[in-house]
Amino acid sequence: MKVGFYGHVRQYENIKSEIDANINEVLLSGSYVQGPMLKAFEAQAAEYFGTTYAIGVGNGTDALWLSLMALGIGAGDEVITNVNTFFATAEAIWIAGAKAVLVDCEPKSKCIDPEKIEAAITDKTKAIMPVHLYGQCADMPAIWEIAEKHGLKVIEDNAQAIDGAGDTFKQGDRSATVTTSFIIQKNLGCFGDGGMVFTNDAAVDETIRKLRNHGSNARNVHSPGFNSRLDDLQAGVLSVKMKHITKLTDQRIAWARVYDEELKDCTSITLPYNVPGYRHVYHLYAIEVKDPAKRDALVQFLQDNDIDAKTHYSIAIHQQHGFPWGKPVEIAGSLENAEANAATCVSLPMFPELTQEEIDYVIAKVREWDQANA
Ligand SMILES: *Cc1c(COP(=O)(O)O)cnc(C)c1O
């Protein structure tokens, strides 16, 4: 049996008539950029997310650096973020002209460790950018407390955690912005690239709306800006998928509970940790192989059995060599937890449209490997 890593086509087939109707509506409207479908989707998204404003942008990376720019953060400033995240989080800080200060994660949740944030704060620090990694929210109450004590802005990178929440808080409660990505492989994905900024701040909303559109909010009136818009076709697709997101997330969580139950007695691996009370939305189901020397062997074994397993992220940002422009990142203290995770992580197939047969097959193969390697 072949088990893929994503269910894009299955998802489209399940809601094809609704999506096709919206695509047709946009095509026949003749209005494809900043048209009525984008406007309607932005209103729907703001209501869904519980913020006053939602601004569609070109992708999740732009949503991050546009947030920084709108908050006046750039050259000479430092922004504290996770060392273990998708590269784009640190990249966005570099694009804005600031320096990314990389902080270690908690050993269990893999989210940024609030206890290590305070030690990384300098007189140049302007913001904290926590990532809700793999679909689990960071410890936001602790992060907001530190930010408020030091007068810092908070930008939440929610690219992996749409529909996620904490136990006593929701995303964005006390943050300047929350950003997301709608690239197809994310939990709420369009048919290409897209992103969004959520905020309650009217000035940030106005600034990002101008920045995304050549610095313009009135015909022929410009200030320097960019071109980073979410087009109406993608907005039409996302509008349909957003109506289904709770159900889709619930199905991810149900599959995670099946993995949890059926793999819990495997002694060679550690299963993902769900902070009690948090709604972990399982963008990824990321296990760890206890013996780092055997990690690549597990990935290879699964691949050899037609199971598409991956690693997220086996090279942490400070271990990357892709910085030809110099060293735009600063390392704050020991990164031992993130380094251990980079050496041991394996992501199993996780998407709502998995079938029971497929998940049973993945479980059987992981158990078989575990027994041979216990
Ligand atoms: C996907 C992702 C991004 C970037 O999103 P794009 O839409 O690809 O630009 C940023 N941060 C995290 C944590 C991501 O997973």
Side-chain angles (χ1 to χ4, degrees):
M1 180 182 295
K2 197 172 170 61
V3 186
F5 202 76
Y6 301 114
H8 307 153
V9 177
R10 291 180 191 176
Q11 186 167 100
Y12 172 53
E13 282 168 348
N14 289 341
I15 48 178
K16 186 173 185 306
S17 59
E18 292 171 79
I19 286 185
D20 289 357
N22 267 17
I23 288 177
N24 257 290
E25 186 181 325
V26 173
L27 291 179
L28 293 173
S29 77
S31 206
Y32 309 139
V33 179
Q34 300 211 128
M37 188 61 90
L38 174 66
K39 202 165 179 209
F41 174 61
E42 287 181 332
Q44 176 191 354
E47 181 167 353
Y48 159 78
F49 203 77
T51 48
T52 317
Y53 308 102
I55 310 129
V57 297
N59 55 67
T61 310
D62 288 4
L64 288 166
W65 65 255
L66 285 165
S67 293
L68 288 169
M69 199 169 280
L71 293 166
I73 297 168
D77 299 332
E78 294 179 357
V79 178
I80 292 172
T81 192
N82 292 49
V83 64
N84 59 323
T85 173
F86 180 59
F87 189 71
T89 315
E91 188 183 34
I93 297 168
W94 169 74
I95 293 171
K99 181 168 272 187
V101 177
L102 304 176
V103 169
D104 203 8
C105 61
E106 295 174 327
K108 283 161 86 182
S109 76
K110 313 302 176 199
C111 289
I112 194 167
D113 187 344
E115 286 182 13
K116 294 184 178 172
I117 289 178
E118 209 149 19
I121 295 174
T122 71
D123 56 3
K124 293 180 177 166
T125 309
K126 291 284 156 42
I128 307 172
M129 192 182 272
V131 181
H132 303 316
L133 201 74
Y134 304 152
Q136 173 160 264
C137 286
D139 181 354
M140 292 311 302
I143 293 167
W144 284 320
E145 199 170 305
I146 295 165
E148 284 157 19
K149 183 171 150 200
H150 293 272
L152 308 176
K153 304 287 188 192
V154 177
I155 295 159
E156 295 175 49
D157 183 346
N158 138 310
Q160 304 188 1
I162 198 90
D163 206 34
D167 51 353
T168 57
F169 64 92
K170 64 179 177 54
Q171 296 178 29
D173 277 345
R174 289 148 71 185
S175 296
T177 71
V178 181
T179 69
T180 202
S181 164
F182 297 129
I183 192 170
I184 177 66
Q185 60 262 39
K186 299 293 158 74
N187 289 24
L188 180 60
C190 60
F191 295 158
D193 278 303
M196 189 159 258
V197 180
F198 298 99
T199 185
N200 292 314
D201 185 328
V204 168
D205 174 69
E206 196 190 331
T207 305
I208 294 179
R209 275 178 201 287
K210 281 169 74 174
L211 286 175
R212 77 171 177 186
N213 188 39
H214 307 293
S216 176
N217 60 3
R219 188 155 185 82
N220 291 324
V221 180
H222 295 268
S223 51
F226 307 88
N227 177 352
S228 180
R229 297 173 297 228
L230 179 66
D231 67 58
D232 284 55
L233 278 173
Q234 302 297 359
V237 171
L238 290 163
S239 170
V240 171
K241 290 200 181 187
M242 191 169 261
K243 290 180 195 148
H244 295 279
I245 188 66
T246 306
K247 195 179 65 200
L248 293 169
T249 305
D250 289 346
Q251 187 57 58
R252 285 177 183 269
I253 296 170
W255 289 138
R257 295 296 161 258
V258 173
Y259 276 140
D260 288 348
E261 182 58 28
E262 300 298 324
L263 298 176
K264 68 173 189 286
D265 54 350
C266 292
T267 55
S268 68
I269 58 174
T270 308
L271 302 182
Y273 178 69
N274 187 164
V275 177
Y278 281 34
R279 180 168 166 86
H280 189 324
V281 299
Y282 293 96
H283 172 59
L284 295 167
Y285 190 87
I287 65 171
E288 290 177 294
V289 179
K290 285 180 187 163
D291 180 356
K294 291 185 174 174
R295 188 269 305 278
D296 292 348
L298 173 57
V299 174
Q300 191 61 51
F301 175 81
L302 294 172
Q303 292 285 356
D304 289 346
N305 283 284
D306 265 344
I307 294 167
D308 194 6
K310 298 185 189 294
T311 58
H312 298 83
Y313 297 93
S314 52
I315 307 175
I317 290 174
H318 68 297
Q319 300 167 327
Q320 298 286 352
H321 296 290
F323 292 115
W325 52 80
K327 203 153 168 287
V329 298
E330 200 81 63
I331 293 164
S334 156
L335 304 175
E336 58 187 344
N337 296 327
E339 286 172 358
N341 180 248
T344 58
C345 60
V346 177
S347 305
L348 301 180
M350 168 53 77
F351 51 93
E353 300 78 18
L354 278 167
T355 65
Q356 186 72 51
E357 291 70 31
E358 288 170 333
I359 202 157
D360 287 346
Y361 176 69
V362 177
I363 288 163
K365 287 296 161 190
V366 173
R367 290 183 65 90
E368 185 184 323
W369 187 86
D370 176 68
Q371 261 148 36
N373 289 275

